Amino acid sequence: MAFPSVVSGVKRFLLRLDPVYALLAAVLVFLFAPVLLGTRVIFWGLPLLQFAPWHETAKQTLLAGYLPLWNPWLGMGAPLLANAQSALLYPPNWILLIVPVEYGQGLLMVAHLLWAGIGMAKLSRRLGIGLLGQAASGLAFMLSGYLASRAWFLSINASVAWLPWIVLASERALRKEKGILDLRLALALCLQWLAGHWQTAWYTWWIAVGWMAVRAVADRPAGKALVRAGLRMLGASLAAALLGAAQFIPTAAYWLNSQRASGVDPEAALTYSFWPWRLVTLVAPNFFGNPAHGDYWGYANYWEDAVYIGLLPLGLAVSALVDRLRRRGAAGFPYGYLAALAGFSLLLGLGKNTPVFPFLFAHVPSFNFFQAPSRMTIGFVFALCLLAAAGAQRWQQSASTSWRTAANIGVASAAALAAGIAATYLAFIRRDTFAPSVAATGGIGILIALLALLKYLAKRRPPLARWVAPAAAALIALDLGLAAAGLVPTAPPSLYREENPAAAGIAATLGERRIYMPEAIRYELMYHRAFLFRIFAGLADWMDVRRWELPNVCILDSLPAADNFDSFVPRRYAVLVREVETLPAELRDRLLGMMDVGAVWEWPPGDGDPTLRYLSGGARAWGVCRAQWALGGEDALRAVTAEQFDPARTVILEAGSGEEGTDCASPPRVEIAAGADPNRVRIEVDFAQDGFLVLADVNDDGWQAFLDGERVPNLQADYAFRAVRVPAGRHTVEFRYAPPAFWGGALASVGALLALCAAAAVRLMRRTRRRAPPAGSPETAG
């Protein structure tokens, strides 16, 4: 009796399940089953080099009972929570506290792809599109080249997933009858900002602003509607900023003290401009090869210019625009805005290939904040996917499809297939990728022709009509699934968890001192040996990345590094490292010792992997009795990099001039106390005379210094580090990281959250009161 009940329950559940959402989920399960089962994990590029080290550090810190505000393992120390891309305050990322980080990263990747697809389907439904259009837009967006090829870029993956939800919330906010604040829009904006990729969030905000403006102008009276739309977007944005202030304010403070505070270098920023020839990949995604196949040869890398949305969705999007030009489109659908968005986004995405973006980069604020203009094509992809929904709706509702249309598509596709096959035998075809990509496009085109034929036959045999929409959805899923296959490289979980014998030997020799990998060696290993743009299978054994202790992978082996592979680093750290790289060998080693570097990677004679050269001397903390004052940062940097400078005898302090003190009569005793809290450094000192304690950790406005429990000035030392004035005798010095930006932001976030909860409670009480039957009514009697 129990078994039939279970079967019946499952049947009822399946009948209630939205078919579009079920299709989206089924496609992702098919593509990423090993990742979901945990037999494979994502690793290529940033998951291994950045996200896993950050999240593993934060996880261990939280489990030890401390806040992950500071990362002592990388770059001689750097803010961790304030690093927006770590996204530690993004609620979905909290699952990493429960499951292994390497497994959780895969779950988050798949979940956000699904969230992106569902959001697009719901937005299409809101605009009056039927199931086929919802499936077309959801699949096209979820598995677009833009998302599928960047799925491993977790912060972009998570941020883009919120784009359709924010536009959907914007559409709903427009239709509200009362009030300025729309809570759903505010929450969606806040969650996207917390997801960690502010470049995507900035583009999304402008897409939503444009959407609301265009939709409001269509209302009557247009002026009043436009003002209402502006106030609601402004209210939602302010509420989102307050809710996420615990992240936004620390990140803003970090940005102002980072190497990118003055903007991105123009040459570096414009490197990843959309290559115009990649427009060919709208119909043949692998025309220039594919790193999953090991044959990519196009400009820069594959993913920055990936815009494929499927051959059928592309055709549907074009047909939607044609229908609109013929005034046959669906009433109320924003054809004009989407066409303008697609064109303008593509124009900006072309970057240095047109004069438009360079002019904006040079003269309009915010354009110089981010790199890779090609990422602006998110608007292009979003618009095409939504237009595909309208095209699918129109195609499905049309009376029939002409057999001539099916025949024309079939003939053209067969010709492409034949040409692709024949081209494989032609000597003058210079690239091996041309022929198979054209043939593949021809094959998909033939399937589209058969679909059109099915639509034509359905008019004569009505029972066939029920198979048209499922066949179209299946074709889109097949096309995009084949294009997306392999774009997310995976490895066994042991890559993260397997013991690294090389690390044990390094730690035994090095102790707690830092390792350092020069920029030239890091670049060679990272981009010429391991993470190649033309092929994902760069290494036969990916444990080599662990053995090389590439930054930031060294965290997984508990090895501190003077390197920090991050787009945001403290400005003075970046300047100091750049200067060190240019110094002669002897002076460079002296400053590396000042940075507490105990081993440097070097190339051995001949070919082979780099080896470690261990340095003598140096320490993380030491005492001196002589100080030289510098007028400011530039003066301090010149003094630190001067040939006669000896950090073991003199400390360079700032905001003064001249010298004070003499050489120490006897070396001060300095001992760092062990501790698990990354936000505190406790040091026991014993000075025979007045002097200074120097700590070779990057300084930050959030660090406070205490001498025997009393707060004392935290001095800027040796350009990038910290120092405290210490009188003769035994003392305890403690550095505590308590950034006002975080605590002020946290207070603002808690206050905003409590205010929103109170407002929601009041609204719920009013609704309950309105719905309650009056006293004495039959409903309340007895």
Side-chain angles (χ1 to χ4, degrees), residues 17 205 326 347 436 438 549 597 608 685:
L17 193 64
W205 191 83
R326 295 175 177 175
L347 177 64
V438 171
E549 300 298 346
V597 172
V685 301

Side-chain angles (χ1 to χ4, degrees), residues 115-349:
W115 191 241
I118 292 176
M120 204 67 181
K122 287 185 72 69
L123 176 59
S124 300
R125 181 179 301 177
R126 176 77 183 188
L127 296 174
I129 304 298
L131 291 178
L132 177 57
Q134 295 171 35
S137 63
L139 286 168
F141 190 66
M142 178 181 79
L143 294 180
S144 65
Y146 194 101
L147 263 174
S149 65
R150 290 181 173 91
W152 46 266
F153 199 138
L154 296 178
S155 57
I156 289 183
N157 171 269
S159 298
V160 172
W162 285 100
L163 169 56
W165 293 95
I166 289 171
V167 175
L168 175 62
S170 301
E171 176 71 15
R172 287 172 170 168
L174 278 173
R175 308 307 168 198
K176 285 182 63 175
E177 295 182 2
K178 298 180 180 179
I180 293 178
L181 177 61
D182 185 86
L183 184 57
R184 284 178 294 196
L185 179 56
L187 288 174
L189 287 170
C190 180
L191 287 168
Q192 188 190 45
W193 296 347
L194 292 176
H197 201 260
W198 286 13
Q199 183 177 13
T200 299
W202 185 234
Y203 300 158
T204 298
W205 191 83
W206 280 110
I207 290 172
V209 166
W211 180 281
M212 293 187 76
V214 169
R215 302 288 279 175
V217 168
D219 294 338
R220 292 291 181 270
K224 183 177 180 181
L226 192 60
V227 171
R228 183 172 64 248
L231 289 175
R232 286 179 179 168
M233 175 54 80
L234 179 62
S237 300
L238 290 175
L242 287 173
L243 284 171
Q247 179 69 69
F248 307 149
I249 296 178
T251 298
Y254 184 20
W255 177 77
L256 290 173
N257 288 297
S258 76
Q259 90 285 13
R260 293 178 66 170
S262 57
V264 184
D265 175 69
E267 184 176 353
L270 297 175
T271 297
Y272 295 115
S273 297
F274 187 85
W275 190 38
W277 284 105
R278 283 293 291 273
L279 287 172
V280 175
T281 63
L282 279 171
V283 295
N286 298 326
F287 192 78
F288 300 102
N290 187 316
H293 306 157
D295 58 4
Y296 177 70
W297 60 272
Y299 172 76
N301 59 49
Y302 179 88
W303 51 90
E304 291 292 358
D305 291 353
V307 291
Y308 188 65
I309 65 165
L311 199 57
L312 180 57
L314 177 65
L316 292 172
V318 172
S319 70
L321 290 176
V322 171
D323 280 343
R324 182 56 178 172
L325 291 175
R326 295 175 177 175
R327 301 187 181 278
R328 295 188 305 195
F333 193 85
Y335 294 94
Y337 173 71
L338 293 174
L341 175 62
F344 188 61
S345 299
L346 181 59
L347 177 64
L348 293 180

Side-chain angles (χ1 to χ4, degrees), residues 451-653:
L451 176 66
L453 181 61
L454 176 63
K455 181 76 162 50
Y456 170 72
L457 295 175
K459 181 181 180 181
R460 298 169 179 259
R461 297 185 178 181
L464 292 176
R466 62 184 298 185
W467 297 104
V468 172
L475 174 55
I476 296 172
L478 174 65
D479 180 13
L480 288 166
L482 291 174
L487 290 178
V488 181
T490 60
S494 58
L495 175 61
Y496 288 87
R497 296 297 170 181
E498 185 176 318
E499 185 177 350
N500 180 8
I506 295 171
T509 306
L510 198 63
E512 296 183 355
R513 300 188 66 194
R514 296 165 177 143
I515 59 176
Y516 178 72
M517 180 174 288
E519 170 68 17
I521 296 179
R522 182 188 67 80
Y523 194 89
E524 170 68 22
L525 294 178
M526 191 176 294
Y527 298 116
H528 292 167
R529 294 198 184 186
F531 303 102
L532 309 179
F533 288 173
R534 65 177 183 83
I535 179 173
F536 285 141
L539 291 174
D541 183 3
W542 283 100
M543 276 300 292
D544 284 346
V545 176
R546 295 274 307 277
R547 297 185 190 102
W548 294 332
E549 300 298 346
L550 274 172
N552 304 326
V553 181
C554 54
I555 288 182
L556 303 179
D557 293 321
S558 300
L559 292 176
D563 313 273
N564 192 355
F565 178 54
D566 193 358
S567 57
F568 268 61
V569 293
R571 181 178 57 84
R572 291 205 173 200
Y573 160 80
V575 172
L576 179 62
V577 170
R578 186 173 64 244
E579 289 293 319
V580 167
E581 292 267 350
T582 64
L583 295 175
E586 183 179 352
L587 185 53
R588 182 172 63 246
D589 284 355
R590 183 193 306 168
L591 290 188
L592 288 175
M594 180 189 73
M595 295 159 57
D596 192 28
V597 172
V600 183
W601 289 100
E602 290 186 342
W603 291 116
D607 297 329
D609 291 345
T611 57
L612 278 175
R613 176 173 63 89
Y614 291 93
L615 305 179
S616 59
R620 184 182 173 193
W622 65 95
V624 298
C625 301
R626 181 195 298 273
Q628 176 183 333
W629 290 90
L631 297 176
E634 292 185 5
D635 193 20
L637 183 62
R638 281 192 296 269
V640 167
T641 56
E643 187 174 353
Q644 67 273 18
F645 173 64
D646 183 359
R649 296 180 55 195
T650 306
V651 61
I652 307 297
L653 304 176

Side-chain angles (χ1 to χ4, degrees), residues 273-274 340-358 360 373 376-377 380:
S273 297
F274 187 85
L341 175 62
F344 188 61
S345 299
L346 181 59
L347 177 64
L348 293 180
L350 287 167
K352 64 183 180 181
N353 295 304
T354 77
V356 177
F357 187 86
L360 297 174
M376 290 189 177
T377 56
F380 176 72

